[in-house]
Amino acid sequence: MLKRRRGHKARLCLTPAQAAMAEEQGHAARALWNLVHDWWTMLPRERRSLAAADEAIRQGRKDLPWLGALPAQAAQAVLKTYFQAWKNCWGGRAQAPQFKGRFRCRMAIDIPQGRDLQIVRLNRRWGRMWVPKVGHVRFRWTRDLPVGRHADGASRVSGARLVKEADGWHVVFRVQREVPEPEPHPGPTVGIDRGITRPLALSDGTFRDHGPWLTEGEAKRLRRLEKTKDRRRHAREPGEKDSRRLTRTYDQIAQLRATAKRRAVDWQHKTTTEIAETFARVGVEDLAVTSMVKSARGTVEAPGRHVRQKAGLNRAIAEEAWGRTVTMLEYKTTDRGGIVVKVPSANTSRRCSACGVITPGSRENQARFVCKNPGCRFEANADTNAGRNIEHAAGQAVSGRGDLGTAGL
């Protein structure tokens, strides 16, 4: 048996009074993070410790009454999250923690103990949970949770986090389940080339496409709101507080972008589930997406070229969320007994998948590949050819358990 930890996100239904109390806690949690950050960075290294920070938080809650809006356990969770951020930085997995601006960060409130949630299912569509200092709140029941008689020491809800997004408050449950170890997947190997014109091109010649995330009317409304935002921003004096109309415009833009993101995530979930159920091994390129979307602006001494074109390409890559697609594939294939293999991305689009030779000019355009090797003359869609190269590289991968090439894992 394996212990599987997953997150489950559900929409909260808060009354206006509960929403106000939740926002008060969210602001207190953000302010506490900033206070801990200032305290940590100003102290000498030899005086920094988790115990000293915990004592500083306790004293701060006594000296600053408005910090009392945040429950004590949620305050301790802020400290643990901050300390973990530094550990990730020291391990080279993330950048150093930064100051959290009021309008640049998402409100979040931790409920570390699952027993405090008191989750109850009310009917087919709704459940109820307890939020400290807010009370009982309802949430959309879209997936069965290990609560009540379905919970035990191995399968349970270990905690939750409340987050505020553009479309309202949500709760993310931390769910732990005990499941049997999956059997090796009997399916074939596939290579996937990620792109913009064709989001996912598989080595078997098929594609996984999607339409625009916003309808034509929604896209027009978004462009109109963006113009309104720019006009109202330029009308402000430097340092002047945002007007209510400008703030409302910001909220409307955020709601439309949140709608587009929900549709994108829904498509990614459905597509990656279908791929994980069909194939035993999935090969993808090992891309440094963060480096790919860097600006081409350059510096004053060495200004960049084609800056606007590169900015458009960066936006298109960010909208496809290639990293999120791979993350979904990794845990879904693992749950089904499969594996995701990351292969080097060098020359996957330039090499002929039939003869393995790289010849100049083989990629005639963005969509067509024609091998210039006189003995080959292989023709295919350029993305499909790249997917075949990725499949070949993934099929030769070897793990610590030996060759994964043919008969499963």
Side-chain angles (χ1 to χ4, degrees), residues 267-276 325 328-329 332:
W267 178 85
Q268 286 179 312
H269 271 297
K270 293 176 180 177
T271 304
T272 53
T273 299
E274 181 260 328
I275 293 173
T325 300
M328 292 181 181
L329 278 173
K332 290 182 180 182

Side-chain angles (χ1 to χ4, degrees), residues 188-204:
T189 300
V190 70
I192 299 179
D193 180 65
R194 291 165 286 173
I196 297 173
T197 305
R198 308 303 295 265
L200 298 179
L202 276 60
S203 57
D204 59 2

Side-chain angles (χ1 to χ4, degrees), residues 78-100:
V78 171
L79 175 58
K80 292 180 180 179
T81 304
Y82 181 80
F83 192 68
Q84 182 62 43
W86 273 115
K87 291 173 68 176
N88 293 337
C89 175
W90 297 331
R93 298 183 296 272
Q95 296 181 348
Q98 299 293 329
F99 180 90
K100 287 190 175 182

Side-chain angles (χ1 to χ4, degrees), residues 36 62 74 94 99 110 124 196 204 211-212 223 241 245 288 293 311 331 348 359 363-364 389:
V36 171
K62 295 178 182 178
F99 180 90
D110 267 308
R124 186 170 65 90
I196 297 173
D204 59 2
R223 289 193 295 269
K241 184 179 178 180
R245 289 187 297 174
V293 296
Y331 78 80
T348 54
T359 54
R363 188 158 183 174
E364 293 186 341
N389 285 323

Side-chain angles (χ1 to χ4, degrees), residues 39-50 52:
W39 177 88
W40 185 275
T41 52
M42 288 189 297
L43 277 184
R45 290 180 181 271
E46 61 273 9
R47 294 179 56 187
R48 298 176 184 172
S49 68
L50 192 60

